[in-house]
Amino acid sequence: MSDPAATEPHLLEMQGEHAAEIAVGETVTLPLIAETARIDKRAVETGRMRVSTRTETTDQILRETLHSDMVGVTRVAINRTLSEGEVPPVVREEDGVTIIPVLEEILVVEKRLVLKEEVHVRQTTAGEDVEMPVTLRRQHAVIERVSPEGHVTALTAAETPEIEP
């Protein structure tokens, strides 16, 4: 038994073309059409960011202890004649006091070295607390989003988006 559909002509319909009859045993080449998809990207401005800085000033009092050194000079009269061969005294320090000997040569029948006086230099240190007003500045960034329509929206630090180059 043969298939009645195999002996009858078939109508092929192609999109956009008229139907054609094909006899049994005849070969027909059908064109195949394939669609492909392509994605294009383009930059679309959805808004802008505006960043500005504002500077605040605050007045503060700085506190510090300043140290100053004072020197007191005392002259101590000695008037002692040095014996022959005695080594003259040199600058020395005793109990935090610098002692500077002052020598004088006097003319007698013979020359003698006389320790005329000593100069005692005492150094003391004092502290003084001072206060000085100063002005300190701090800047904050203010970031605003500007929409394409020109509407400005201020953003808080938590809402600030990261802007990639």
Side-chain angles (χ1 to χ4, degrees), residues 74-156:
T74 306
R75 293 177 175 257
V76 177
I78 301 291
N79 289 324
R80 180 175 67 83
T81 302
L82 299 179
S83 60
E84 196 171 319
E86 185 179 347
V87 178
V90 293
V91 176
R92 66 189 185 279
E93 189 168 327
E94 293 177 3
D95 297 326
V97 176
T98 303
I99 299 173
I100 304 166
V102 178
L103 301 171
E104 176 185 50
E105 283 183 340
I106 58 170
L107 189 57
V108 192
V109 177
E110 59 184 20
K111 184 168 78 169
R112 295 184 191 161
L113 198 55
V114 176
L115 177 59
K116 190 71 173 171
E117 69 177 337
E118 292 179 336
V119 176
H120 294 210
V121 178
R122 178 172 286 114
Q123 179 177 340
T124 58
T125 301
E128 176 187 0
D129 292 334
V130 295
E131 293 182 353
M132 178 175 284
V134 295
T135 300
L136 302 178
R137 293 179 287 253
R138 176 182 297 164
Q139 290 187 331
H140 297 283
V142 177
I143 301 173
E144 299 172 325
R145 180 173 176 83
V146 182
S147 70
E149 295 82 30
H151 301 294
V152 177
T153 306
L155 300 176
T156 64

